[in-house]
Coordinates of all heavy atoms in Angstrom, one line a residue:
M17 N -54.9 -124.9 -29.0 CA -54.9 -123.4 -29.0 C -56.3 -123.0 -29.5 O -56.8 -123.5 -30.4 CB -53.8 -122.9 -29.9 CG -53.9 -121.3 -30.1 SD -52.6 -120.7 -31.2 CE -51.7 -119.9 -29.9
E18 N -56.8 -122.0 -28.8 CA -58.2 -121.5 -29.2 C -58.0 -120.4 -30.3 O -57.3 -119.4 -30.0 CB -58.9 -120.9 -28.0 CG -59.2 -122.0 -26.9 CD -60.2 -123.0 -27.4 OE1 -61.1 -122.6 -28.2 OE2 -60.1 -124.2 -27.1
Y19 N -58.7 -120.6 -31.4 CA -58.6 -119.6 -32.5 C -59.5 -118.4 -32.2 O -59.3 -117.4 -32.8 CB -58.9 -120.2 -33.8 CG -57.9 -121.2 -34.2 CD1 -58.2 -122.6 -34.3 CD2 -56.6 -120.8 -34.6 CE1 -57.2 -123.5 -34.6 CE2 -55.6 -121.7 -35.0 CZ -55.9 -123.1 -35.0 OH -55.0 -124.0 -35.4
D20 N -60.4 -118.6 -31.3 CA -61.3 -117.4 -30.9 C -60.5 -116.4 -30.1 O -61.0 -115.3 -29.9 CB -62.5 -117.9 -30.1 CG -63.4 -118.8 -31.0 OD1 -63.3 -118.7 -32.2 OD2 -64.2 -119.6 -30.4
D21 N -59.4 -116.8 -29.6 CA -58.6 -115.9 -28.7 C -57.6 -115.0 -29.5 O -56.7 -114.5 -29.0 CB -57.9 -116.6 -27.7 CG -58.8 -117.3 -26.7 OD1 -59.9 -116.9 -26.6 OD2 -58.3 -118.3 -26.0
E22 N -57.7 -115.0 -30.8 CA -56.8 -114.3 -31.7 C -56.9 -112.8 -31.4 O -58.0 -112.3 -31.2 CB -57.0 -114.6 -33.2 CG -56.8 -116.0 -33.6 CD -55.3 -116.5 -33.6 OE1 -54.4 -115.6 -33.5 OE2 -55.1 -117.7 -33.6
T23 N -55.8 -112.1 -31.5 CA -55.7 -110.7 -31.3 C -55.0 -110.2 -32.6 O -54.5 -110.9 -33.4 CB -54.9 -110.3 -30.1 OG1 -53.5 -110.7 -30.3 CG2 -55.4 -110.9 -28.8
P24 N -55.1 -108.9 -32.8 CA -54.3 -108.4 -34.0 C -52.9 -108.7 -34.0 O -52.3 -109.1 -35.0 CB -54.5 -106.8 -33.9 CG -55.8 -106.7 -33.1 CD -55.8 -107.8 -32.2
E25 N -52.3 -108.8 -32.8 CA -50.9 -109.1 -32.7 C -50.6 -110.6 -33.0 O -49.6 -110.9 -33.7 CB -50.3 -108.8 -31.3 CG -50.3 -107.3 -31.0 CD -51.6 -106.7 -30.7 OE1 -52.5 -107.4 -30.3 OE2 -51.8 -105.5 -30.9
T26 N -51.5 -111.5 -32.6 CA -51.3 -112.9 -32.9 C -51.5 -113.2 -34.4 O -50.7 -114.0 -35.0 CB -52.2 -113.9 -32.1 OG1 -53.6 -113.6 -32.4 CG2 -52.0 -113.7 -30.6
V27 N -52.4 -112.5 -35.0 CA -52.6 -112.6 -36.4 C -51.5 -112.1 -37.2 O -51.0 -112.7 -38.2 CB -54.0 -112.0 -36.9 CG1 -54.1 -112.1 -38.4 CG2 -55.1 -112.8 -36.2
K28 N -50.9 -110.9 -36.8 CA -49.8 -110.4 -37.4 C -48.6 -111.3 -37.3 O -47.8 -111.5 -38.3 CB -49.4 -109.0 -36.9 CG -50.3 -107.9 -37.4 CD -50.2 -106.6 -36.7 CE -48.8 -106.1 -36.6 NZ -48.7 -104.7 -35.9
A29 N -48.4 -112.0 -36.2 CA -47.4 -112.9 -36.0 C -47.5 -114.1 -36.9 O -46.5 -114.6 -37.5 CB -47.3 -113.4 -34.6
R30 N -48.7 -114.6 -37.1 CA -49.0 -115.7 -38.0 C -48.6 -115.3 -39.4 O -48.0 -116.1 -40.1 CB -50.5 -116.1 -38.0 CG -50.9 -116.8 -36.7 CD -52.4 -117.0 -36.8 NE -52.9 -117.8 -35.7 CZ -53.0 -119.1 -35.6 NH1 -52.5 -119.8 -36.7 NH2 -53.5 -119.7 -34.6
L31 N -49.0 -114.1 -39.8 CA -48.7 -113.6 -41.2 C -47.2 -113.5 -41.4 O -46.6 -113.8 -42.4 CB -49.4 -112.3 -41.4 CG -50.9 -112.4 -41.7 CD1 -51.5 -111.1 -41.6 CD2 -51.1 -113.1 -43.1
E32 N -46.5 -113.1 -40.3 CA -45.0 -113.0 -40.4 C -44.4 -114.4 -40.7 O -43.5 -114.5 -41.6 CB -44.4 -112.4 -39.1 CG -43.0 -112.2 -39.2 CD -42.4 -111.5 -37.9 OE1 -43.2 -110.8 -37.3 OE2 -41.2 -111.8 -37.6
V33 N -44.8 -115.3 -40.0 CA -44.3 -116.7 -40.2 C -44.7 -117.2 -41.5 O -43.8 -117.8 -42.2 CB -44.9 -117.7 -39.1 CG1 -44.6 -119.1 -39.4 CG2 -44.4 -117.3 -37.7
L34 N -45.9 -117.0 -42.0 CA -46.3 -117.4 -43.3 C -45.5 -116.8 -44.4 O -45.1 -117.4 -45.4 CB -47.8 -117.2 -43.5 CG -48.7 -118.1 -42.7 CD1 -50.1 -117.6 -42.8 CD2 -48.6 -119.5 -43.3
R35 N -45.2 -115.5 -44.3 CA -44.4 -114.8 -45.3 C -43.0 -115.3 -45.4 O -42.4 -115.3 -46.4 CB -44.5 -113.3 -45.0 CG -45.9 -112.7 -45.4 CD -46.0 -111.2 -45.3 NE -47.4 -110.8 -45.6 CZ -48.2 -110.2 -44.8 NH1 -47.9 -109.9 -43.6 NH2 -49.4 -109.9 -45.2
K36 N -42.4 -115.6 -44.2 CA -41.1 -116.2 -44.2 C -41.1 -117.6 -44.8 O -40.2 -118.0 -45.5 CB -40.5 -116.2 -42.8 CG -40.2 -114.9 -42.2 CD -39.7 -115.0 -40.8 CE -39.4 -113.6 -40.2 NZ -39.0 -113.7 -38.8
G37 N -42.1 -118.3 -44.4 CA -42.3 -119.7 -44.9 C -42.4 -119.8 -46.4 O -41.9 -120.7 -47.0
I38 N -43.2 -118.9 -47.0 CA -43.4 -119.0 -48.4 C -42.2 -118.7 -49.2 O -41.9 -119.3 -50.2 CB -44.6 -118.0 -48.9 CG1 -45.1 -118.5 -50.2 CG2 -44.2 -116.6 -48.9 CD1 -46.4 -117.8 -50.6
I39 N -41.3 -117.9 -48.6 CA -40.0 -117.6 -49.3 C -39.2 -118.9 -49.3 O -38.6 -119.3 -50.4 CB -39.2 -116.5 -48.6 CG1 -39.9 -115.2 -48.8 CG2 -37.8 -116.4 -49.0 CD1 -39.4 -114.0 -47.9
S40 N -39.2 -119.7 -48.3 CA -38.5 -120.9 -48.2 C -39.1 -121.9 -49.2 O -38.3 -122.6 -50.0 CB -38.6 -121.5 -46.8 OG -38.0 -122.8 -46.8
E41 N -40.4 -122.0 -49.3 CA -41.0 -122.8 -50.3 C -40.7 -122.4 -51.7 O -40.4 -123.3 -52.6 CB -42.5 -122.9 -50.1 CG -43.0 -123.4 -48.7 CD -42.6 -124.8 -48.5 OE1 -42.4 -125.6 -49.4 OE2 -42.4 -125.2 -47.3
E42 N -40.7 -121.1 -52.0 CA -40.4 -120.7 -53.4 C -38.9 -121.0 -53.7 O -38.6 -121.3 -54.8 CB -40.7 -119.2 -53.5 CG -42.2 -118.9 -53.5 CD -42.5 -117.4 -53.4 OE1 -41.7 -116.6 -52.9 OE2 -43.7 -117.1 -53.7
N43 N -38.1 -120.8 -52.7 CA -36.7 -121.1 -52.9 C -36.5 -122.6 -53.2 O -35.7 -123.0 -54.0 CB -35.8 -120.8 -51.7 CG -35.6 -119.3 -51.6 OD1 -35.8 -118.6 -52.5 ND2 -35.2 -118.9 -50.4
S44 N -37.3 -123.5 -52.6 CA -37.2 -124.9 -52.9 C -37.7 -125.2 -54.3 O -37.1 -126.0 -55.0 CB -38.1 -125.7 -51.9 OG -37.6 -125.6 -50.6
V45 N -38.7 -124.5 -54.8 CA -39.1 -124.7 -56.2 C -38.0 -124.3 -57.1 O -37.6 -125.1 -58.0 CB -40.4 -123.8 -56.5 CG1 -40.7 -123.8 -58.0 CG2 -41.6 -124.3 -55.7
N46 N -37.3 -123.2 -56.8 CA -36.2 -122.8 -57.7 C -35.0 -123.7 -57.6 O -34.4 -124.0 -58.6 CB -35.8 -121.4 -57.3 CG -36.8 -120.3 -57.6 OD1 -37.6 -120.5 -58.5 ND2 -36.8 -119.2 -56.8
Y47 N -34.8 -124.3 -56.4 CA -33.7 -125.3 -56.2 C -33.9 -126.5 -57.1 O -33.0 -126.9 -57.8 CB -33.6 -125.6 -54.7 CG -32.7 -126.8 -54.5 CD1 -31.3 -126.5 -54.6 CD2 -33.1 -128.0 -54.1 CE1 -30.4 -127.6 -54.3 CE2 -32.2 -129.0 -53.8 CZ -30.9 -128.8 -53.9 OH -30.0 -129.8 -53.7
Y48 N -35.1 -127.0 -57.0 CA -35.4 -128.2 -57.8 C -35.4 -127.9 -59.3 O -34.9 -128.7 -60.1 CB -36.7 -128.9 -57.4 CG -36.6 -129.6 -56.1 CD1 -37.4 -129.2 -55.0 CD2 -35.7 -130.6 -55.9 CE1 -37.3 -129.8 -53.8 CE2 -35.6 -131.2 -54.7 CZ -36.4 -130.8 -53.6 OH -36.2 -131.4 -52.4
Q49 N -35.8 -126.7 -59.7 CA -35.7 -126.4 -61.1 C -34.3 -126.3 -61.6 O -33.9 -126.7 -62.6 CB -36.4 -125.0 -61.4 CG -36.4 -124.6 -62.8 CD -37.1 -125.6 -63.7 OE1 -38.3 -125.9 -63.5 NE2 -36.5 -126.2 -64.7
T50 N -33.4 -125.8 -60.7 CA -32.0 -125.7 -61.0 C -31.4 -127.1 -61.2 O -30.6 -127.3 -62.1 CB -31.2 -124.9 -59.9 OG1 -31.7 -123.6 -59.9 CG2 -29.7 -124.9 -60.1
L51 N -31.8 -128.0 -60.3 CA -31.3 -129.3 -60.4 C -31.7 -130.0 -61.7 O -31.0 -130.7 -62.3 CB -31.7 -130.2 -59.2 CG -31.1 -129.8 -57.8 CD1 -31.7 -130.6 -56.7 CD2 -29.6 -130.0 -57.9
I52 N -33.0 -129.8 -62.1 CA -33.5 -130.3 -63.3 C -32.6 -129.8 -64.5 O -32.2 -130.5 -65.4 CB -35.0 -129.9 -63.5 CG1 -35.9 -130.7 -62.5 CG2 -35.4 -130.2 -64.9 CD1 -37.3 -130.2 -62.4
D53 N -32.4 -128.5 -64.4 CA -31.7 -127.8 -65.5 C -30.2 -128.3 -65.6 O -29.7 -128.4 -66.7 CB -31.7 -126.3 -65.4 CG -33.0 -125.7 -65.5 OD1 -34.0 -126.3 -66.1 OD2 -33.2 -124.5 -65.0
K54 N -29.6 -128.7 -64.5 CA -28.2 -129.1 -64.5 C -28.0 -130.6 -64.6 O -26.9 -131.0 -64.8 CB -27.6 -128.6 -63.2 CG -27.4 -127.1 -63.1 CD -26.7 -126.7 -61.8 CE -26.6 -125.2 -61.8 NZ -25.3 -124.7 -61.8
T55 N -29.1 -131.3 -64.6 CA -29.0 -132.8 -64.8 C -29.2 -133.2 -66.2 O -30.3 -132.9 -66.8 CB -30.0 -133.5 -63.8 OG1 -29.8 -133.1 -62.5 CG2 -29.8 -135.0 -63.9
P56 N -28.2 -133.7 -66.9 CA -28.3 -134.1 -68.3 C -29.3 -135.3 -68.4 O -29.6 -136.0 -67.5 CB -26.9 -134.5 -68.7 CG -26.3 -135.0 -67.4 CD -26.9 -134.1 -66.3
E57 N -29.8 -135.5 -69.6 CA -30.7 -136.6 -69.9 C -29.9 -137.6 -70.7 O -30.3 -138.2 -71.7 CB -31.8 -136.1 -70.8 CG -32.8 -135.2 -70.1 CD -33.9 -134.8 -70.9 OE1 -34.9 -135.6 -71.0 OE2 -34.0 -133.6 -71.4
D58 N -28.7 -138.0 -70.2 CA -27.8 -138.9 -70.9 C -27.8 -140.3 -70.5 O -27.0 -141.1 -71.0 CB -26.4 -138.3 -70.9 CG -25.8 -138.1 -69.5 OD1 -26.6 -138.4 -68.5 OD2 -24.7 -137.7 -69.4
S59 N -28.6 -140.6 -69.5 CA -28.7 -142.0 -69.0 C -30.0 -142.2 -68.3 O -30.7 -141.2 -67.9 CB -27.5 -142.3 -68.0 OG -27.7 -141.6 -66.8
D60 N -30.4 -143.5 -68.1 CA -31.6 -143.8 -67.4 C -31.6 -143.2 -66.0 O -32.6 -142.7 -65.5 CB -31.9 -145.2 -67.4 CG -32.4 -145.7 -68.8 OD1 -32.7 -144.9 -69.7 OD2 -32.4 -147.0 -69.0
A61 N -30.4 -143.3 -65.4 CA -30.3 -142.8 -64.0 C -30.5 -141.3 -63.9 O -31.3 -140.8 -63.1 CB -28.9 -143.2 -63.4
S62 N -30.0 -140.6 -64.9 CA -30.1 -139.1 -64.9 C -31.6 -138.8 -65.2 O -32.2 -137.8 -64.6 CB -29.2 -138.5 -66.0 OG -27.9 -138.6 -65.6
I63 N -32.2 -139.5 -66.1 CA -33.6 -139.3 -66.4 C -34.5 -139.5 -65.2 O -35.4 -138.7 -64.8 CB -34.1 -140.1 -67.6 CG1 -33.4 -139.6 -68.9 CG2 -35.6 -140.1 -67.7 CD1 -33.6 -140.6 -70.1
G64 N -34.2 -140.6 -64.4 CA -34.9 -140.9 -63.2 C -34.7 -139.7 -62.2 O -35.6 -139.3 -61.5
M65 N -33.5 -139.2 -62.1 CA -33.2 -138.1 -61.1 C -34.0 -136.9 -61.6 O -34.6 -136.2 -60.7 CB -31.7 -137.8 -61.1 CG -30.9 -138.9 -60.5 SD -29.1 -138.6 -60.7 CE -28.9 -137.1 -59.7
R66 N -34.0 -136.6 -62.8 CA -34.8 -135.4 -63.3 C -36.2 -135.6 -63.0 O -36.9 -134.6 -62.6 CB -34.6 -135.2 -64.8 CG -33.2 -134.7 -65.2 CD -33.0 -134.7 -66.7 NE -34.0 -133.9 -67.4 CZ -33.9 -132.6 -67.7 NH1 -32.8 -132.0 -67.4 NH2 -34.9 -132.0 -68.3
R67 N -36.8 -136.7 -63.2 CA -38.2 -137.0 -62.9 C -38.5 -136.8 -61.4 O -39.5 -136.2 -61.0 CB -38.6 -138.4 -63.4 CG -38.7 -138.5 -64.9 CD -39.0 -139.9 -65.3 NE -39.0 -140.0 -66.8 CZ -39.0 -141.1 -67.4 NH1 -38.9 -142.3 -66.8 NH2 -39.0 -141.1 -68.8
M68 N -37.6 -137.3 -60.6 CA -37.8 -137.1 -59.1 C -37.7 -135.6 -58.7 O -38.5 -135.2 -57.9 CB -36.8 -137.9 -58.3 CG -37.1 -138.0 -56.9 SD -38.5 -139.1 -56.6 CE -39.7 -137.9 -56.1
Y69 N -36.7 -134.9 -59.3 CA -36.6 -133.5 -59.0 C -37.9 -132.8 -59.4 O -38.4 -131.9 -58.7 CB -35.4 -132.9 -59.7 CG -34.1 -133.3 -59.3 CD1 -33.0 -133.4 -60.2 CD2 -33.8 -133.6 -58.0 CE1 -31.8 -133.8 -59.8 CE2 -32.5 -134.1 -57.5 CZ -31.5 -134.2 -58.5 OH -30.3 -134.6 -58.1
Y70 N -38.4 -133.2 -60.6 CA -39.7 -132.6 -61.1 C -40.8 -132.9 -60.1 O -41.6 -132.0 -59.7 CB -40.0 -133.1 -62.5 CG -41.3 -132.5 -63.0 CD1 -41.3 -131.2 -63.6 CD2 -42.5 -133.2 -62.9 CE1 -42.5 -130.7 -64.0 CE2 -43.7 -132.7 -63.4 CZ -43.7 -131.4 -64.0 OH -44.8 -130.9 -64.4
D71 N -40.9 -134.1 -59.7 CA -42.0 -134.5 -58.7 C -41.9 -133.6 -57.4 O -42.9 -133.2 -56.9 CB -42.0 -136.0 -58.4 CG -42.4 -136.8 -59.6 OD1 -43.0 -136.3 -60.5 OD2 -42.1 -138.1 -59.5
L72 N -40.7 -133.5 -56.9 CA -40.5 -132.7 -55.7 C -40.8 -131.3 -55.9 O -41.4 -130.6 -55.1 CB -39.0 -132.9 -55.2 CG -38.7 -134.3 -54.7 CD1 -37.2 -134.5 -54.5 CD2 -39.4 -134.6 -53.4
M73 N -40.4 -130.7 -57.1 CA -40.7 -129.4 -57.4 C -42.2 -129.1 -57.4 O -42.7 -128.1 -56.9 CB -40.1 -129.0 -58.8 CG -40.3 -127.5 -59.1 SD -39.6 -127.0 -60.7 CE -40.7 -128.0 -61.8
M74 N -42.9 -130.1 -58.0 CA -44.4 -129.9 -58.1 C -45.0 -130.0 -56.7 O -46.0 -129.3 -56.4 CB -45.0 -131.0 -59.0 CG -44.6 -130.9 -60.4 SD -44.7 -129.2 -61.1 CE -46.5 -129.1 -61.2
E75 N -44.5 -130.8 -55.8 CA -44.9 -130.8 -54.4 C -44.7 -129.5 -53.7 O -45.5 -129.0 -53.0 CB -44.2 -131.9 -53.7 CG -44.6 -132.1 -52.2 CD -46.1 -132.6 -52.1 OE1 -46.6 -133.3 -53.0 OE2 -46.7 -132.2 -51.1
E76 N -43.5 -128.9 -53.9 CA -43.2 -127.6 -53.4 C -44.2 -126.5 -53.9 O -44.6 -125.6 -53.2 CB -41.7 -127.2 -53.6 CG -40.7 -128.1 -52.9 CD -40.8 -128.1 -51.4 OE1 -41.3 -127.1 -50.8 OE2 -40.4 -129.1 -50.8
K77 N -44.5 -126.6 -55.2 CA -45.5 -125.7 -55.7 C -46.8 -125.8 -55.0 O -47.5 -124.8 -54.8 CB -45.6 -125.9 -57.2 CG -44.5 -125.4 -58.0 CD -44.7 -125.5 -59.5 CE -43.5 -124.9 -60.3 NZ -43.8 -124.8 -61.7
L78 N -47.2 -127.0 -54.6 CA -48.4 -127.2 -53.9 C -48.3 -126.5 -52.5 O -49.3 -125.8 -52.0 CB -48.8 -128.6 -53.7 CG -49.2 -129.4 -54.9 CD1 -49.3 -130.9 -54.5 CD2 -50.5 -128.9 -55.5
H79 N -47.2 -126.5 -51.9 CA -46.9 -125.9 -50.6 C -47.0 -124.3 -50.8 O -47.6 -123.7 -50.0 CB -45.5 -126.2 -50.1 CG -45.4 -127.6 -49.8 ND1 -44.2 -128.2 -49.3 CD2 -46.2 -128.7 -49.8 CE1 -44.3 -129.5 -49.1 NE2 -45.5 -129.8 -49.4
V80 N -46.5 -123.8 -51.9 CA -46.5 -122.4 -52.2 C -48.0 -122.0 -52.3 O -48.4 -121.0 -51.7 CB -45.7 -122.0 -53.4 CG1 -46.0 -120.6 -53.9 CG2 -44.3 -122.2 -53.2
K81 N -48.8 -122.8 -53.0 CA -50.2 -122.5 -53.2 C -50.9 -122.4 -51.9 O -51.7 -121.5 -51.6 CB -50.8 -123.5 -54.1 CG -52.3 -123.3 -54.4 CD -52.9 -124.3 -55.3 CE -54.4 -124.1 -55.4 NZ -55.0 -125.2 -56.1
R82 N -50.6 -123.4 -51.0 CA -51.2 -123.5 -49.7 C -50.8 -122.3 -48.8 O -51.7 -121.7 -48.1 CB -50.9 -124.8 -49.0 CG -51.5 -125.0 -47.6 CD -53.0 -125.1 -47.7 NE -53.6 -125.2 -46.4 CZ -54.6 -124.7 -45.9 NH1 -55.4 -123.9 -46.7 NH2 -55.0 -124.8 -44.7
F83 N -49.6 -121.9 -48.9 CA -49.1 -120.7 -48.2 C -49.9 -119.5 -48.6 O -50.3 -118.6 -47.8 CB -47.6 -120.5 -48.3 CG -46.8 -121.2 -47.3 CD1 -46.6 -122.5 -47.3 CD2 -46.2 -120.4 -46.2 CE1 -45.9 -123.2 -46.3 CE2 -45.5 -121.1 -45.3 CZ -45.3 -122.4 -45.3
H84 N -50.1 -119.3 -49.9 CA -50.9 -118.2 -50.4 C -52.3 -118.2 -49.9 O -52.9 -117.2 -49.5 CB -51.0 -118.2 -52.0 CG -49.7 -117.7 -52.6 ND1 -49.4 -116.4 -52.6 CD2 -48.8 -118.3 -53.4 CE1 -48.3 -116.2 -53.3 NE2 -47.9 -117.4 -53.8
E85 N -52.9 -119.4 -49.8 CA -54.3 -119.5 -49.3 C -54.3 -119.1 -47.8 O -55.2 -118.4 -47.4 CB -54.7 -121.0 -49.4 CG -55.0 -121.4 -50.8 CD -55.2 -122.9 -51.0 OE1 -55.0 -123.7 -50.0 OE2 -55.5 -123.4 -52.1
L86 N -53.3 -119.6 -47.0 CA -53.3 -119.2 -45.6 C -53.0 -117.8 -45.4 O -53.6 -117.2 -44.5 CB -52.2 -120.1 -44.9 CG -52.5 -121.6 -44.8 CD1 -51.3 -122.3 -44.3 CD2 -53.7 -121.7 -43.8
I87 N -52.1 -117.2 -46.2 CA -51.9 -115.7 -46.1 C -53.2 -115.0 -46.3 O -53.5 -114.1 -45.6 CB -50.7 -115.3 -47.0 CG1 -49.4 -115.8 -46.5 CG2 -50.7 -113.8 -47.2 CD1 -48.2 -115.7 -47.5
L88 N -53.9 -115.3 -47.4 CA -55.1 -114.7 -47.7 C -56.1 -114.8 -46.5 O -56.8 -113.8 -46.1 CB -55.7 -115.2 -49.0 CG -57.1 -114.6 -49.4 CD1 -56.9 -113.1 -49.7 CD2 -57.6 -115.3 -50.7
K89 N -56.2 -116.0 -46.0 CA -57.1 -116.3 -44.9 C -56.8 -115.4 -43.7 O -57.7 -114.8 -43.1 CB -57.0 -117.8 -44.4 CG -57.7 -118.1 -43.1 CD -57.4 -119.5 -42.7 CE -57.9 -119.7 -41.2 NZ -57.6 -121.0 -40.8
W90 N -55.5 -115.3 -43.3 CA -55.2 -114.5 -42.1 C -55.1 -113.0 -42.4 O -55.4 -112.3 -41.5 CB -53.8 -115.1 -41.6 CG -54.0 -116.4 -40.9 CD1 -53.7 -117.6 -41.4 CD2 -54.7 -116.6 -39.7 NE1 -54.1 -118.6 -40.6 CE2 -54.7 -118.0 -39.5 CE3 -55.3 -115.8 -38.8 CZ2 -55.3 -118.6 -38.4 CZ3 -55.9 -116.4 -37.6 CH2 -55.9 -117.8 -37.5
E91 N -54.9 -112.6 -43.6 CA -55.0 -111.2 -44.0 C -56.5 -110.8 -43.8 O -56.8 -109.7 -43.3 CB -54.5 -110.9 -45.4 CG -53.1 -110.9 -45.5 CD -52.6 -110.7 -46.9 OE1 -53.3 -110.9 -47.9 OE2 -51.4 -110.3 -47.1
N92 N -57.4 -111.6 -44.3 CA -58.8 -111.3 -44.1 C -59.2 -111.3 -42.6 O -60.0 -110.5 -42.2 CB -59.7 -112.3 -44.9 CG -59.6 -112.1 -46.4 OD1 -59.3 -111.0 -46.9 ND2 -59.8 -113.2 -47.2
R93 N -58.7 -112.2 -41.9 CA -58.9 -112.2 -40.5 C -58.5 -111.0 -39.8 O -59.1 -110.4 -38.9 CB -58.3 -113.5 -39.8 CG -58.5 -113.6 -38.3 CD -59.9 -113.8 -37.9 NE -60.2 -113.5 -36.5 CZ -60.2 -114.4 -35.6 NH1 -60.0 -115.7 -35.9 NH2 -60.4 -114.1 -34.3
Y94 N -57.3 -110.5 -40.2 CA -56.7 -109.3 -39.6 C -57.6 -108.1 -39.9 O -57.7 -107.2 -39.1 CB -55.3 -109.1 -40.2 CG -54.6 -107.9 -39.6 CD1 -54.1 -108.0 -38.3 CD2 -54.4 -106.7 -40.2 CE1 -53.5 -106.9 -37.6 CE2 -53.8 -105.6 -39.7 CZ -53.3 -105.8 -38.3 OH -52.7 -104.7 -37.8
K95 N -58.2 -108.1 -41.1 CA -59.1 -107.0 -41.5 C -60.3 -106.9 -40.6 O -61.0 -105.8 -40.6 CB -59.5 -107.1 -42.9 CG -58.3 -106.9 -43.9 CD -58.8 -107.1 -45.3 CE -57.6 -107.0 -46.3 NZ -58.0 -107.4 -47.7
T96 N -60.7 -108.0 -39.9 CA -61.9 -108.0 -39.1 C -61.7 -107.3 -37.8 O -62.7 -107.0 -37.1 CB -62.4 -109.4 -38.8 OG1 -61.4 -110.1 -38.0 CG2 -62.6 -110.1 -40.1
F97 N -60.5 -107.0 -37.4 CA -60.2 -106.3 -36.1 C -60.5 -104.8 -36.2 O -60.4 -104.2 -37.2 CB -58.8 -106.5 -35.7 CG -58.5 -107.9 -35.3 CD1 -57.8 -108.8 -36.0 CD2 -59.1 -108.5 -34.1 CE1 -57.5 -110.1 -35.6 CE2 -58.9 -109.8 -33.7 CZ -58.1 -110.6 -34.5

């Protein structure tokens, strides 16, 4: 796909997808936090689970950050029209 062929409508559509996507990523962060909160630290297995949930949550936070970056990029692009 050629990015030089962007129109205001294609950029708006990109932003719509990004705004929906960031909600999903934020929900994932909250989901893993909930799992951490509900998993006791009463065994090595539970501690391992909590650590994995934490690692996954941190990965989702990176996704949220990237979505913010992309939203900013495409909002700035939209302003150029």
Side-chain angles (χ1 to χ4, degrees):
M17 172 180 253
E18 295 294 325
Y19 292 109
D20 294 337
D21 295 338
E22 296 291 346
T23 67
E25 291 77 25
T26 62
V27 173
K28 281 172 49 178
R30 285 176 177 273
L31 285 166
E32 182 179 331
V33 169
L34 288 168
R35 288 185 179 116
K36 289 177 182 176
I38 199 169
I39 291 169
S40 175
E41 298 297 334
E42 289 170 340
N43 285 341
S44 292
V45 170
N46 292 332
Y47 172 71
Y48 288 119
Q49 183 62 59
T50 298
L51 291 174
I52 291 167
D53 294 343
K54 290 183 181 242
T55 304
E57 296 183 75
D58 58 357
S59 69
D60 286 347
S62 293
I63 291 169
M65 292 172 67
R66 287 173 58 91
R67 288 176 180 165
M68 191 71 250
Y69 294 147
Y70 179 81
D71 291 344
L72 292 168
M73 182 180 70
M74 296 311 291
E75 183 65 30
E76 294 298 337
K77 285 185 176 189
L78 292 174
H79 297 176
V80 170
K81 180 181 176 189
R82 181 66 179 140
F83 269 75
H84 280 293
E85 292 167 354
L86 289 169
I87 289 169
L88 181 60
K89 171 189 169 181
W90 288 105
E91 283 177 340
N92 287 334
R93 177 67 195 264
Y94 186 74
K95 292 175 187 176
T96 66
F97 290 108

